[in-house]
Amino acid sequence: MSIAAVAPAPTVRSASPATSSAKLRAVPEGTEARGFVLYVGVDEAKAAAAGTDLVTLVEALRRLTSDLVPGAQTHAAVALAPRGVGGRDVDVVRLALQDPAALARQRDVEEPSPDVVEGVVIDLSRKRVLLNEQTAPLTYKEFELLQYLVLREGRTVARAEIISALWPAPDADAPNERTIDVHVRRLRSKLGDYQDIVRTVRGTGYRFDRHADVVVRHTHRGPSPDF
């Protein structure tokens, strides 16, 4: 999709809640639609060839949203992928931004994984951790915390950096540098006998230490899981 300028916003008639709900797919009882995600598949070269760039596209879409719904909140995330990755741009974007449906489809077409050996398997493509062939009950945020450290293996990561990366402002649930220790402690407790792979560097932050019995799996045919 290429956008060089925003056309005047069309006149939109307000719809009753019942009419609006009818246009949406059924949602579980007790829930409500709070927004949507629009994946845009276009790389910098294609945007430049159309006489624009990704920043201009983002700003144009934001202005259009503001024109249609004053006060609407927006958040944009750029999808990063290894240079030369094949496939449709929009599919690469969905994988990079961890779209659940795209991830599930990718798991269906991947070859079966080799037999799991004793120890720790940190599977970044499937977003899971196996401890002696048993899945560790990590929450989404606990896995994100572990993944962030794994992808920076050997480097000590400051608490402030972790908070900024995993709880982007303005996140009301973002911890402070003291309570981030609680998140790390919960993660370690679920790693059991292997909790020392997440090491505390006193006065600085945390570091992932790979042992001989730790395997980290990446998906080389898709984009990086970290963005």
Side-chain angles (χ1 to χ4, degrees), residues 15-38:
S16 66
T19 302
S20 299
S21 299
K23 296 179 180 178
L24 298 173
R25 293 183 178 181
V27 296
E29 184 178 355
T31 64
E32 61 179 353
R34 296 291 301 272
F36 63 91
V37 174
L38 172 66

mmCIF file with all atom_site columns, all heavy atoms in Angstrom, residues 15-38:
data_model
loop_
_atom_site.group_PDB
_atom_site.id
_atom_site.type_symbol
_atom_site.label_atom_id
_atom_site.label_alt_id
_atom_site.label_comp_id
_atom_site.label_asym_id
_atom_site.label_entity_id
_atom_site.label_seq_id
_atom_site.pdbx_PDB_ins_code
_atom_site.Cartn_x
_atom_site.Cartn_y
_atom_site.Cartn_z
_atom_site.occupancy
_atom_site.B_iso_or_equiv
_atom_site.pdbx_formal_charge
_atom_site.auth_seq_id
_atom_site.auth_comp_id
_atom_site.auth_asym_id
_atom_site.auth_atom_id
_atom_site.pdbx_PDB_model_num
ATOM 1   N N   . ALA A 1 15 ? -23.174 5.333   13.495 1.00 0.00 ? 15 ALA A N   1
ATOM 2   C CA  . ALA A 1 15 ? -23.975 4.113   13.548 1.00 0.00 ? 15 ALA A CA  1
ATOM 3   C C   . ALA A 1 15 ? -24.325 3.796   14.989 1.00 0.00 ? 15 ALA A C   1
ATOM 4   O O   . ALA A 1 15 ? -23.592 4.114   15.915 1.00 0.00 ? 15 ALA A O   1
ATOM 5   C CB  . ALA A 1 15 ? -23.204 2.952   12.927 1.00 0.00 ? 15 ALA A CB  1
ATOM 6   N N   . SER A 1 16 ? -25.473 3.210   15.164 1.00 0.00 ? 16 SER A N   1
ATOM 7   C CA  . SER A 1 16 ? -25.876 2.808   16.504 1.00 0.00 ? 16 SER A CA  1
ATOM 8   C C   . SER A 1 16 ? -25.008 1.668   16.960 1.00 0.00 ? 16 SER A C   1
ATOM 9   O O   . SER A 1 16 ? -24.429 0.948   16.158 1.00 0.00 ? 16 SER A O   1
ATOM 10  C CB  . SER A 1 16 ? -27.340 2.354   16.479 1.00 0.00 ? 16 SER A CB  1
ATOM 11  O OG  . SER A 1 16 ? -27.467 1.172   15.703 1.00 0.00 ? 16 SER A OG  1
ATOM 12  N N   . PRO A 1 17 ? -24.852 1.450   18.298 1.00 0.00 ? 17 PRO A N   1
ATOM 13  C CA  . PRO A 1 17 ? -24.052 0.344   18.793 1.00 0.00 ? 17 PRO A CA  1
ATOM 14  C C   . PRO A 1 17 ? -24.475 -0.980  18.197 1.00 0.00 ? 17 PRO A C   1
ATOM 15  O O   . PRO A 1 17 ? -23.647 -1.842  17.891 1.00 0.00 ? 17 PRO A O   1
ATOM 16  C CB  . PRO A 1 17 ? -24.294 0.401   20.311 1.00 0.00 ? 17 PRO A CB  1
ATOM 17  C CG  . PRO A 1 17 ? -24.631 1.834   20.581 1.00 0.00 ? 17 PRO A CG  1
ATOM 18  C CD  . PRO A 1 17 ? -25.399 2.285   19.370 1.00 0.00 ? 17 PRO A CD  1
ATOM 19  N N   . ALA A 1 18 ? -25.774 -1.197  18.004 1.00 0.00 ? 18 ALA A N   1
ATOM 20  C CA  . ALA A 1 18 ? -26.250 -2.468  17.470 1.00 0.00 ? 18 ALA A CA  1
ATOM 21  C C   . ALA A 1 18 ? -25.775 -2.658  16.045 1.00 0.00 ? 18 ALA A C   1
ATOM 22  O O   . ALA A 1 18 ? -25.350 -3.739  15.639 1.00 0.00 ? 18 ALA A O   1
ATOM 23  C CB  . ALA A 1 18 ? -27.777 -2.528  17.537 1.00 0.00 ? 18 ALA A CB  1
ATOM 24  N N   . THR A 1 19 ? -25.842 -1.559  15.236 1.00 0.00 ? 19 THR A N   1
ATOM 25  C CA  . THR A 1 19 ? -25.401 -1.641  13.843 1.00 0.00 ? 19 THR A CA  1
ATOM 26  C C   . THR A 1 19 ? -23.905 -1.897  13.766 1.00 0.00 ? 19 THR A C   1
ATOM 27  O O   . THR A 1 19 ? -23.434 -2.708  12.974 1.00 0.00 ? 19 THR A O   1
ATOM 28  C CB  . THR A 1 19 ? -25.744 -0.348  13.103 1.00 0.00 ? 19 THR A CB  1
ATOM 29  O OG1 . THR A 1 19 ? -27.143 -0.113  13.182 1.00 0.00 ? 19 THR A OG1 1
ATOM 30  C CG2 . THR A 1 19 ? -25.322 -0.443  11.636 1.00 0.00 ? 19 THR A CG2 1
ATOM 31  N N   . SER A 1 20 ? -23.118 -1.197  14.596 1.00 0.00 ? 20 SER A N   1
ATOM 32  C CA  . SER A 1 20 ? -21.675 -1.378  14.588 1.00 0.00 ? 20 SER A CA  1
ATOM 33  C C   . SER A 1 20 ? -21.303 -2.790  14.986 1.00 0.00 ? 20 SER A C   1
ATOM 34  O O   . SER A 1 20 ? -20.420 -3.401  14.393 1.00 0.00 ? 20 SER A O   1
ATOM 35  C CB  . SER A 1 20 ? -21.020 -0.379  15.548 1.00 0.00 ? 20 SER A CB  1
ATOM 36  O OG  . SER A 1 20 ? -21.297 0.941   15.137 1.00 0.00 ? 20 SER A OG  1
ATOM 37  N N   . SER A 1 21 ? -21.960 -3.327  16.007 1.00 0.00 ? 21 SER A N   1
ATOM 38  C CA  . SER A 1 21 ? -21.642 -4.667  16.473 1.00 0.00 ? 21 SER A CA  1
ATOM 39  C C   . SER A 1 21 ? -21.933 -5.695  15.402 1.00 0.00 ? 21 SER A C   1
ATOM 40  O O   . SER A 1 21 ? -21.240 -6.704  15.279 1.00 0.00 ? 21 SER A O   1
ATOM 41  C CB  . SER A 1 21 ? -22.440 -4.987  17.749 1.00 0.00 ? 21 SER A CB  1
ATOM 42  O OG  . SER A 1 21 ? -22.105 -4.083  18.771 1.00 0.00 ? 21 SER A OG  1
ATOM 43  N N   . ALA A 1 22 ? -22.974 -5.444  14.578 1.00 0.00 ? 22 ALA A N   1
ATOM 44  C CA  . ALA A 1 22 ? -23.350 -6.411  13.554 1.00 0.00 ? 22 ALA A CA  1
ATOM 45  C C   . ALA A 1 22 ? -22.270 -6.546  12.494 1.00 0.00 ? 22 ALA A C   1
ATOM 46  O O   . ALA A 1 22 ? -22.192 -7.561  11.811 1.00 0.00 ? 22 ALA A O   1
ATOM 47  C CB  . ALA A 1 22 ? -24.674 -6.003  12.917 1.00 0.00 ? 22 ALA A CB  1
ATOM 48  N N   . LYS A 1 23 ? -21.437 -5.515  12.324 1.00 0.00 ? 23 LYS A N   1
ATOM 49  C CA  . LYS A 1 23 ? -20.400 -5.551  11.309 1.00 0.00 ? 23 LYS A CA  1
ATOM 50  C C   . LYS A 1 23 ? -19.162 -6.309  11.778 1.00 0.00 ? 23 LYS A C   1
ATOM 51  O O   . LYS A 1 23 ? -18.268 -6.584  10.992 1.00 0.00 ? 23 LYS A O   1
ATOM 52  C CB  . LYS A 1 23 ? -20.008 -4.126  10.915 1.00 0.00 ? 23 LYS A CB  1
ATOM 53  C CG  . LYS A 1 23 ? -21.141 -3.328  10.265 1.00 0.00 ? 23 LYS A CG  1
ATOM 54  C CD  . LYS A 1 23 ? -20.685 -1.933  9.930  1.00 0.00 ? 23 LYS A CD  1
ATOM 55  C CE  . LYS A 1 23 ? -21.807 -1.124  9.286  1.00 0.00 ? 23 LYS A CE  1
ATOM 56  N NZ  . LYS A 1 23 ? -21.388 0.259   8.987  1.00 0.00 ? 23 LYS A NZ  1
ATOM 57  N N   . LEU A 1 24 ? -19.077 -6.590  13.063 1.00 0.00 ? 24 LEU A N   1
ATOM 58  C CA  . LEU A 1 24 ? -17.919 -7.281  13.622 1.00 0.00 ? 24 LEU A CA  1
ATOM 59  C C   . LEU A 1 24 ? -18.186 -8.770  13.741 1.00 0.00 ? 24 LEU A C   1
ATOM 60  O O   . LEU A 1 24 ? -19.328 -9.204  13.855 1.00 0.00 ? 24 LEU A O   1
ATOM 61  C CB  . LEU A 1 24 ? -17.593 -6.726  15.025 1.00 0.00 ? 24 LEU A CB  1
ATOM 62  C CG  . LEU A 1 24 ? -17.206 -5.257  15.098 1.00 0.00 ? 24 LEU A CG  1
ATOM 63  C CD1 . LEU A 1 24 ? -17.081 -4.843  16.555 1.00 0.00 ? 24 LEU A CD1 1
ATOM 64  C CD2 . LEU A 1 24 ? -15.907 -4.998  14.361 1.00 0.00 ? 24 LEU A CD2 1
ATOM 65  N N   . ARG A 1 25 ? -17.117 -9.529  13.696 1.00 0.00 ? 25 ARG A N   1
ATOM 66  C CA  . ARG A 1 25 ? -17.263 -10.942 13.967 1.00 0.00 ? 25 ARG A CA  1
ATOM 67  C C   . ARG A 1 25 ? -17.684 -11.137 15.417 1.00 0.00 ? 25 ARG A C   1
ATOM 68  O O   . ARG A 1 25 ? -17.440 -10.295 16.268 1.00 0.00 ? 25 ARG A O   1
ATOM 69  C CB  . ARG A 1 25 ? -15.940 -11.671 13.716 1.00 0.00 ? 25 ARG A CB  1
ATOM 70  C CG  . ARG A 1 25 ? -15.525 -11.699 12.251 1.00 0.00 ? 25 ARG A CG  1
ATOM 71  C CD  . ARG A 1 25 ? -14.257 -12.497 12.081 1.00 0.00 ? 25 ARG A CD  1
ATOM 72  N NE  . ARG A 1 25 ? -13.859 -12.577 10.689 1.00 0.00 ? 25 ARG A NE  1
ATOM 73  C CZ  . ARG A 1 25 ? -12.791 -13.227 10.254 1.00 0.00 ? 25 ARG A CZ  1
ATOM 74  N NH1 . ARG A 1 25 ? -12.025 -13.866 11.113 1.00 0.00 ? 25 ARG A NH1 1
ATOM 75  N NH2 . ARG A 1 25 ? -12.485 -13.248 8.967  1.00 0.00 ? 25 ARG A NH2 1
ATOM 76  N N   . ALA A 1 26 ? -18.304 -12.270 15.681 1.00 0.00 ? 26 ALA A N   1
ATOM 77  C CA  . ALA A 1 26 ? -18.753 -12.535 17.041 1.00 0.00 ? 26 ALA A CA  1
ATOM 78  C C   . ALA A 1 26 ? -17.563 -12.514 17.999 1.00 0.00 ? 26 ALA A C   1
ATOM 79  O O   . ALA A 1 26 ? -16.497 -13.049 17.704 1.00 0.00 ? 26 ALA A O   1
ATOM 80  C CB  . ALA A 1 26 ? -19.443 -13.896 17.091 1.00 0.00 ? 26 ALA A CB  1
ATOM 81  N N   . VAL A 1 27 ? -17.746 -11.867 19.133 1.00 0.00 ? 27 VAL A N   1
ATOM 82  C CA  . VAL A 1 27 ? -16.704 -11.831 20.155 1.00 0.00 ? 27 VAL A CA  1
ATOM 83  C C   . VAL A 1 27 ? -17.233 -12.545 21.394 1.00 0.00 ? 27 VAL A C   1
ATOM 84  O O   . VAL A 1 27 ? -18.442 -12.650 21.590 1.00 0.00 ? 27 VAL A O   1
ATOM 85  C CB  . VAL A 1 27 ? -16.330 -10.375 20.517 1.00 0.00 ? 27 VAL A CB  1
ATOM 86  C CG1 . VAL A 1 27 ? -15.722 -9.670  19.318 1.00 0.00 ? 27 VAL A CG1 1
ATOM 87  C CG2 . VAL A 1 27 ? -17.547 -9.612  21.015 1.00 0.00 ? 27 VAL A CG2 1
ATOM 88  N N   . PRO A 1 28 ? -16.348 -13.076 22.228 1.00 0.00 ? 28 PRO A N   1
ATOM 89  C CA  . PRO A 1 28 ? -16.802 -13.790 23.419 1.00 0.00 ? 28 PRO A CA  1
ATOM 90  C C   . PRO A 1 28 ? -17.681 -12.918 24.300 1.00 0.00 ? 28 PRO A C   1
ATOM 91  O O   . PRO A 1 28 ? -17.495 -11.694 24.370 1.00 0.00 ? 28 PRO A O   1
ATOM 92  C CB  . PRO A 1 28 ? -15.490 -14.158 24.119 1.00 0.00 ? 28 PRO A CB  1
ATOM 93  C CG  . PRO A 1 28 ? -14.471 -14.174 23.026 1.00 0.00 ? 28 PRO A CG  1
ATOM 94  C CD  . PRO A 1 28 ? -14.888 -13.088 22.084 1.00 0.00 ? 28 PRO A CD  1
ATOM 95  N N   . GLU A 1 29 ? -18.625 -13.536 24.949 1.00 0.00 ? 29 GLU A N   1
ATOM 96  C CA  . GLU A 1 29 ? -19.529 -12.810 25.842 1.00 0.00 ? 29 GLU A CA  1
ATOM 97  C C   . GLU A 1 29 ? -18.726 -12.110 26.930 1.00 0.00 ? 29 GLU A C   1
ATOM 98  O O   . GLU A 1 29 ? -17.777 -12.659 27.480 1.00 0.00 ? 29 GLU A O   1
ATOM 99  C CB  . GLU A 1 29 ? -20.525 -13.789 26.463 1.00 0.00 ? 29 GLU A CB  1
ATOM 100 C CG  . GLU A 1 29 ? -21.583 -13.103 27.342 1.00 0.00 ? 29 GLU A CG  1
ATOM 101 C CD  . GLU A 1 29 ? -22.585 -14.093 27.895 1.00 0.00 ? 29 GLU A CD  1
ATOM 102 O OE1 . GLU A 1 29 ? -22.512 -15.283 27.513 1.00 0.00 ? 29 GLU A OE1 1
ATOM 103 O OE2 . GLU A 1 29 ? -23.427 -13.675 28.705 1.00 0.00 ? 29 GLU A OE2 1
ATOM 104 N N   . GLY A 1 30 ? -19.107 -10.883 27.220 1.00 0.00 ? 30 GLY A N   1
ATOM 105 C CA  . GLY A 1 30 ? -18.425 -10.112 28.250 1.00 0.00 ? 30 GLY A CA  1
ATOM 106 C C   . GLY A 1 30 ? -17.244 -9.315  27.730 1.00 0.00 ? 30 GLY A C   1
ATOM 107 O O   . GLY A 1 30 ? -16.539 -8.678  28.510 1.00 0.00 ? 30 GLY A O   1
ATOM 108 N N   . THR A 1 31 ? -16.994 -9.359  26.410 1.00 0.00 ? 31 THR A N   1
ATOM 109 C CA  . THR A 1 31 ? -15.905 -8.586  25.829 1.00 0.00 ? 31 THR A CA  1
ATOM 110 C C   . THR A 1 31 ? -16.457 -7.539  24.873 1.00 0.00 ? 31 THR A C   1
ATOM 111 O O   . THR A 1 31 ? -17.630 -7.579  24.505 1.00 0.00 ? 31 THR A O   1
ATOM 112 C CB  . THR A 1 31 ? -14.920 -9.489  25.062 1.00 0.00 ? 31 THR A CB  1
ATOM 113 O OG1 . THR A 1 31 ? -15.597 -10.078 23.944 1.00 0.00 ? 31 THR A OG1 1
ATOM 114 C CG2 . THR A 1 31 ? -14.386 -10.590 25.955 1.00 0.00 ? 31 THR A CG2 1
ATOM 115 N N   . GLU A 1 32 ? -15.617 -6.616  24.476 1.00 0.00 ? 32 GLU A N   1
ATOM 116 C CA  . GLU A 1 32 ? -16.013 -5.582  23.534 1.00 0.00 ? 32 GLU A CA  1
ATOM 117 C C   . GLU A 1 32 ? -14.831 -5.248  22.636 1.00 0.00 ? 32 GLU A C   1
ATOM 118 O O   . GLU A 1 32 ? -13.672 -5.433  23.016 1.00 0.00 ? 32 GLU A O   1
ATOM 119 C CB  . GLU A 1 32 ? -16.476 -4.324  24.257 1.00 0.00 ? 32 GLU A CB  1
ATOM 120 C CG  . GLU A 1 32 ? -15.399 -3.683  25.126 1.00 0.00 ? 32 GLU A CG  1
ATOM 121 C CD  . GLU A 1 32 ? -15.876 -2.425  25.822 1.00 0.00 ? 32 GLU A CD  1
ATOM 122 O OE1 . GLU A 1 32 ? -16.989 -1.981  25.522 1.00 0.00 ? 32 GLU A OE1 1
ATOM 123 O OE2 . GLU A 1 32 ? -15.109 -1.898  26.653 1.00 0.00 ? 32 GLU A OE2 1
ATOM 124 N N   . ALA A 1 33 ? -15.114 -4.779  21.434 1.00 0.00 ? 33 ALA A N   1
ATOM 125 C CA  . ALA A 1 33 ? -14.057 -4.376  20.506 1.00 0.00 ? 33 ALA A CA  1
ATOM 126 C C   . ALA A 1 33 ? -13.497 -3.032  20.955 1.00 0.00 ? 33 ALA A C   1
ATOM 127 O O   . ALA A 1 33 ? -14.238 -2.077  21.157 1.00 0.00 ? 33 ALA A O   1
ATOM 128 C CB  . ALA A 1 33 ? -14.615 -4.281  19.092 1.00 0.00 ? 33 ALA A CB  1
ATOM 129 N N   . ARG A 1 34 ? -12.187 -2.951  21.105 1.00 0.00 ? 34 ARG A N   1
ATOM 130 C CA  . ARG A 1 34 ? -11.546 -1.725  21.563 1.00 0.00 ? 34 ARG A CA  1
ATOM 131 C C   . ARG A 1 34 ? -10.627 -1.101  20.514 1.00 0.00 ? 34 ARG A C   1
ATOM 132 O O   . ARG A 1 34 ? -9.955  -0.113  20.778 1.00 0.00 ? 34 ARG A O   1
ATOM 133 C CB  . ARG A 1 34 ? -10.728 -2.012  22.833 1.00 0.00 ? 34 ARG A CB  1
ATOM 134 C CG  . ARG A 1 34 ? -11.557 -2.453  24.024 1.00 0.00 ? 34 ARG A CG  1
ATOM 135 C CD  . ARG A 1 34 ? -12.422 -1.319  24.541 1.00 0.00 ? 34 ARG A CD  1
ATOM 136 N NE  . ARG A 1 34 ? -11.638 -0.172  24.953 1.00 0.00 ? 34 ARG A NE  1
ATOM 137 C CZ  . ARG A 1 34 ? -11.133 -0.012  26.182 1.00 0.00 ? 34 ARG A CZ  1
ATOM 138 N NH1 . ARG A 1 34 ? -11.333 -0.948  27.101 1.00 0.00 ? 34 ARG A NH1 1
ATOM 139 N NH2 . ARG A 1 34 ? -10.427 1.066   26.495 1.00 0.00 ? 34 ARG A NH2 1
ATOM 140 N N   . GLY A 1 35 ? -10.566 -1.692  19.333 1.00 0.00 ? 35 GLY A N   1
ATOM 141 C CA  . GLY A 1 35 ? -9.688  -1.159  18.305 1.00 0.00 ? 35 GLY A CA  1
ATOM 142 C C   . GLY A 1 35 ? -9.386  -2.239  17.284 1.00 0.00 ? 35 GLY A C   1
ATOM 143 O O   . GLY A 1 35 ? -10.058 -3.260  17.236 1.00 0.00 ? 35 GLY A O   1
ATOM 144 N N   . PHE A 1 36 ? -8.387  -2.013  16.464 1.00 0.00 ? 36 PHE A N   1
ATOM 145 C CA  . PHE A 1 36 ? -8.039  -2.994  15.435 1.00 0.00 ? 36 PHE A CA  1
ATOM 146 C C   . PHE A 1 36 ? -6.574  -2.847  15.072 1.00 0.00 ? 36 PHE A C   1
ATOM 147 O O   . PHE A 1 36 ? -5.913  -1.855  15.403 1.00 0.00 ? 36 PHE A O   1
ATOM 148 C CB  . PHE A 1 36 ? -8.907  -2.804  14.185 1.00 0.00 ? 36 PHE A CB  1
ATOM 149 C CG  . PHE A 1 36 ? -8.715  -1.483  13.505 1.00 0.00 ? 36 PHE A CG  1
ATOM 150 C CD1 . PHE A 1 36 ? -7.768  -1.339  12.494 1.00 0.00 ? 36 PHE A CD1 1
ATOM 151 C CD2 . PHE A 1 36 ? -9.470  -0.378  13.869 1.00 0.00 ? 36 PHE A CD2 1
ATOM 152 C CE1 . PHE A 1 36 ? -7.577  -0.115  11.871 1.00 0.00 ? 36 PHE A CE1 1
ATOM 153 C CE2 . PHE A 1 36 ? -9.290  0.841   13.255 1.00 0.00 ? 36 PHE A CE2 1
ATOM 154 C CZ  . PHE A 1 36 ? -8.334  0.978   12.251 1.00 0.00 ? 36 PHE A CZ  1
ATOM 155 N N   . VAL A 1 37 ? -6.053  -3.855  14.388 1.00 0.00 ? 37 VAL A N   1
ATOM 156 C CA  . VAL A 1 37 ? -4.681  -3.837  13.891 1.00 0.00 ? 37 VAL A CA  1
ATOM 157 C C   . VAL A 1 37 ? -4.732  -3.871  12.370 1.00 0.00 ? 37 VAL A C   1
ATOM 158 O O   . VAL A 1 37 ? -5.448  -4.692  11.790 1.00 0.00 ? 37 VAL A O   1
ATOM 159 C CB  . VAL A 1 37 ? -3.880  -5.047  14.410 1.00 0.00 ? 37 VAL A CB  1
ATOM 160 C CG1 . VAL A 1 37 ? -2.505  -5.094  13.756 1.00 0.00 ? 37 VAL A CG1 1
ATOM 161 C CG2 . VAL A 1 37 ? -3.754  -4.997  15.923 1.00 0.00 ? 37 VAL A CG2 1
ATOM 162 N N   . LEU A 1 38 ? -3.990  -2.989  11.722 1.00 0.00 ? 38 LEU A N   1
ATOM 163 C CA  . LEU A 1 38 ? -3.881  -2.971  10.268 1.00 0.00 ? 38 LEU A CA  1
ATOM 164 C C   . LEU A 1 38 ? -2.441  -3.258  9.896  1.00 0.00 ? 38 LEU A C   1
ATOM 165 O O   . LEU A 1 38 ? -1.538  -2.494  10.231 1.00 0.00 ? 38 LEU A O   1
ATOM 166 C CB  . LEU A 1 38 ? -4.299  -1.598  9.716  1.00 0.00 ? 38 LEU A CB  1
ATOM 167 C CG  . LEU A 1 38 ? -4.049  -1.379  8.219  1.00 0.00 ? 38 LEU A CG  1
ATOM 168 C CD1 . LEU A 1 38 ? -4.939  -2.316  7.391  1.00 0.00 ? 38 LEU A CD1 1
ATOM 169 C CD2 . LEU A 1 38 ? -4.306  0.073   7.840  1.00 0.00 ? 38 LEU A CD2 1
#
